[in-house]
Amino acid sequence: MTSITESAAAAVPPLDAADVAPSEASLRAHEDRLRRRESLLRIVVPAAIVALLLLVWEWTVRANNIPHYILPAPSLILKTLFDNWDTLSSALWFTVKLTLLALLAAIVGGVLLAIAFALFKWVEIGLFPIAVILQVTPIIAIAPLILIYVSSTTAALLLCAWIVAFFPILSNTVIGLKSADSNLRDLFQLYKASPWQTFRYLLAPSALPYFMAGLKIAGGLSLIGAVVAEFTAGTAGKETGLASRILESSFRTEIPMMFAALLLVSLLGIVIFIVFAALSRMVLGHWHESEMRRER
């Protein structure tokens, strides 16, 4: 005699695995929601903190009647920025050009020299100590000498910024080229791959994450090198950067103008970092663990 439980179980059809497991479309929608939420948090939270700090700054200056020549309020800094935009925009463009040219030269020189280091041991033995010496020597100490020996002031500033940005590209790329799996190296040799094939399909992908990390570091350092070199040069005139605007403002005790130029320097550094972080995510996001998004 069949029990009531067995009859009820027989009346209910078995669930298909497709009915239990979530569909691919729902999983993709869930991942999209998580990605949008994370992107929103990355924007909203820092923006809220910065806005809160600016409000506290504004309130402190107004509540204590602090003179503008000691500490200007954020509203006065923004007003000064807009009122002097013609002067500051030309200085900003000069600093941008100097920074990008120095970074481009650092990328080309650093990558080519890193490849030579990886392929020829004697090149690394002979030249790597010189690169280390350039890195550990403070740029503010050698900038006066560069300005003396190089006739063009712009070329001297470019060389100073290049020295600062060069080593992170070189060092990270060399480490990346040397970090390729030794077993894969043996496999390429076993199949008699040419040096170009080994470099293209093994060494370059292995070095790419390290290169992108070095690029994010070198982007900020190239800006720092350009600003420090211009501070050392003390140049003045139309074809000068934001550092010259800061120096001129300090001589004239125009503190709001100093803060306005400093604000542009900081924003430029933030933009450089964001651009290279996005580039790293675009290049590495679909295959490398350092940039692949994970659920949290």
Side-chain angles (χ1 to χ4, degrees):
M1 183 175 179
T2 307
S3 64
I4 298 176
T5 305
E6 291 175 349
S7 300
V12 178
L15 293 176
D16 190 10
D19 298 330
V20 178
S23 64
E24 182 179 354
S26 63
L27 288 176
R28 188 180 297 111
H30 179 65
E31 292 177 356
D32 290 340
R33 286 195 299 271
L34 289 177
R35 189 177 296 112
R36 286 195 298 268
R37 186 181 66 178
E38 182 181 355
S39 301
L40 185 62
L41 288 176
R42 288 179 179 273
I43 297 174
V44 171
V45 174
I49 293 176
V50 171
L52 178 61
L53 293 176
L54 291 177
L55 289 175
V56 172
W57 182 356
E58 183 80 22
W59 177 83
T60 302
V61 171
R62 292 179 180 273
N64 296 280
N65 293 322
I66 300 177
H68 67 85
Y69 53 83
I70 295 179
L71 181 64
S75 57
L76 179 59
I77 295 173
L78 290 178
K79 182 178 182 301
T80 304
L81 177 62
F82 289 124
D83 292 342
N84 299 272
W85 178 247
D86 291 339
T87 301
L88 291 174
S89 61
S90 61
L92 174 63
W93 177 237
F94 180 85
T95 302
V96 170
K97 289 190 296 183
L98 192 64
T99 301
L100 294 182
L101 286 175
L103 182 59
L104 179 61
I107 292 172
V108 174
V111 170
L112 292 179
L113 194 57
I115 294 173
F117 283 3
L119 298 180
F120 307 104
K121 189 68 177 178
W122 60 271
V123 177
E124 181 181 7
I125 295 174
L127 297 181
F128 195 77
I130 299 176
V132 173
I133 291 173
L134 289 176
Q135 174 64 19
V136 300
T137 304
I139 188 61
I140 197 170
I142 60 176
L145 293 176
I146 295 175
L147 291 165
I148 291 173
Y149 296 134
V150 179
S151 58
S152 173
T153 302
T154 302
L157 297 177
L158 181 61
L159 181 58
C160 291
W162 174 81
I163 291 175
V164 176
F166 168 73
F167 189 80
I169 298 289
L170 172 65
S171 178
N172 282 38
T173 308
V174 168
I175 294 174
L177 291 172
K178 290 184 176 182
S179 64
D181 194 313
S182 58
N183 295 322
L184 292 177
R185 288 177 183 266
D186 296 338
L187 184 63
F188 272 70
Q189 292 179 358
L190 179 64
Y191 283 96
K192 301 185 184 305
S194 65
W196 168 247
Q197 289 175 325
T198 302
F199 174 80
R200 179 182 178 184
Y201 296 108
L202 178 60
L203 299 183
S206 173
L208 189 57
Y210 295 86
F211 168 76
M212 296 306 300
L215 186 61
K216 287 188 284 188
I217 298 172
L221 289 180
S222 61
L223 175 61
I224 294 173
V227 172
V228 170
E230 196 170 1
F231 269 126
T232 305
T235 55
K238 185 177 181 180
E239 286 297 319
T240 52
L242 292 171
S244 294
R245 301 286 86 79
I246 295 175
L247 284 175
E248 292 173 3
S249 302
S250 66
F251 295 151
R252 300 171 183 174
T253 323
E254 297 177 351
I255 307 303
M257 185 70 168
M258 288 182 61
F259 273 88
L262 182 60
L263 174 62
L264 290 180
V265 173
S266 301
L267 291 177
L268 178 57
I270 293 172
V271 169
I272 290 174
F273 179 82
I274 291 175
V275 168
F276 288 134
L279 179 63
S280 176
R281 191 175 301 114
M282 181 178 65
V283 173
L284 305 175
H286 62 284
W287 67 276
H288 196 264
E289 291 291 334
S290 63
E291 294 291 351
M292 291 179 67
R293 296 183 181 273
R294 300 293 184 188
E295 293 186 10
R296 296 180 180 178

